Amino acid sequence: MFYAVWLEGQLVWNIPLLTGLICIAVLYGCLVTFYTNIKIYHKQPLLFFLCLGILYVTLGSPLSTLSHLSFSFHMMQMSILYFIIPPLFLLGIPESFPKILKGINKLFLPPLVALYTFAVLFLMYHLPIVLTFLSKNSFVHNGYLVLLFIMALSMWCPIVKDRNKPFALLSGLLLMPACILFIITGFIGGLNNPFLAQMTANLCISPSAISSLHILPPPFNTGLDQIMAGILMIVMHKFALILTVRFGKKVHVQEWGRMG
C-alpha cells in the first residue's frame, strides 16, 4: 500500500524537520524539569511529545506523500494539522510555565478573530484557482500553511483552556463551507488535483514513479474521493472537539492537584 512514499527509488524523510522537533522536545523537557512540578512521564508532557510525533509523521515522513495523491488523503493531513495537533500542543503546555512563555499569546489574534480568519483562509485554500496557484509557488504555499497553523492555535485556545462549548459549536459551523465545497464539487464532477499534476511535472515525483505506484483504488481521485474528503473533515473535527474537551478536563484536574 505504501509504495507511493518512494521518490525516485528512495524513501523521503525530512531530516531538518526531525532535528528541529527534537530540539523543541529537549527545550520543552528542560522547561518542564526546572520550572514545574510535572514529571516527563506525566500526561501533559506525553501529550506534547505525541503532538511532535504526529507532526513529523504528517509532514516529515514518507507518508506525507500520500496527501498529494488524493483529496481524501489531503483532507486527512489538513485535519490532523489543524484539528489534532493544535489542541495537543496547547494541552501539553503547563499553566505553571514561566510568564515569559505566556507572552507568546500576544503574538496571536483574539480567538474569535482567528476563528473567522481561519475559516475564510481554509475555504479559500480549497478553491480551485487558489489551490492551483499555491501548488505552483512552494514558498507562498508554505507561508499560507504556517499562517493557517497560527490561526488554528489561536482558535483552539478557548476550547482547550476554557472548554467553551458555544465557541466549539461556532467553529464547526464556520468550517462547514469548506466541507460542503468538497461534497458539492464531488457530486457535480469533481476537481482536478493540482498537487498530483505538479508531481507528474517532476516537481515532487516523476511521472514514471507515479505510473508505477498503483496503490489507490478507483474511489480515489474521483468525485467520490472529494465527497469522502468533505465527510472526513467533518468527522475528524468533531472527533478532535470531543477528545480535546475530555483530555482538557483530566489534564487541568491533574495539574492543579499537583500544584495544590
Side-chain angles (χ1 to χ4, degrees), residues 114-146:
L115 174 57
Y116 279 99
T117 303
F118 178 87
V120 172
L121 292 177
F122 194 76
L123 175 61
M124 289 178 58
Y125 180 85
H126 293 99
L127 295 176
I129 186 172
V130 177
L131 197 57
T132 301
F133 171 77
L134 292 176
S135 70
K136 297 178 181 179
N137 299 270
S138 59
F139 180 79
V140 178
H141 183 208
N142 292 333
Y144 200 104
L145 295 179
V146 170

Side-chain angles (χ1 to χ4, degrees), residues 223-241:
L224 179 58
D225 176 37
Q226 293 177 43
I227 296 173
M228 292 168 56
I231 296 175
L232 181 64
M233 176 184 168
I234 297 174
V235 172
M236 292 194 68
H237 183 258
K238 182 64 176 179
F239 176 74
L241 289 174

Side-chain angles (χ1 to χ4, degrees), residues 5 14 32 34 42 70 74 80 83 90 101 110 113 125 143 151 159 169 171 175-176 184 218 226 234 238 257:
V5 302
N14 192 326
V32 167
F34 293 109
H42 284 160
S70 79
H74 164 75
I80 292 174
F83 304 153
L90 294 171
L101 192 60
V113 176
Y125 180 85
M151 295 298 104
I159 303 174
L169 177 61
S171 70
L175 293 174
M176 192 63 67
I184 291 178
Q226 293 177 43
I234 297 174
K238 182 64 176 179

Side-chain angles (χ1 to χ4, degrees), residues 58-76:
T58 304
L59 291 180
S61 77
L63 297 181
S64 64
T65 306
L66 292 176
S67 67
H68 297 298
L69 300 182
S70 79
F71 281 105
S72 52
F73 282 126
H74 164 75
M75 189 53 68
M76 181 179 293

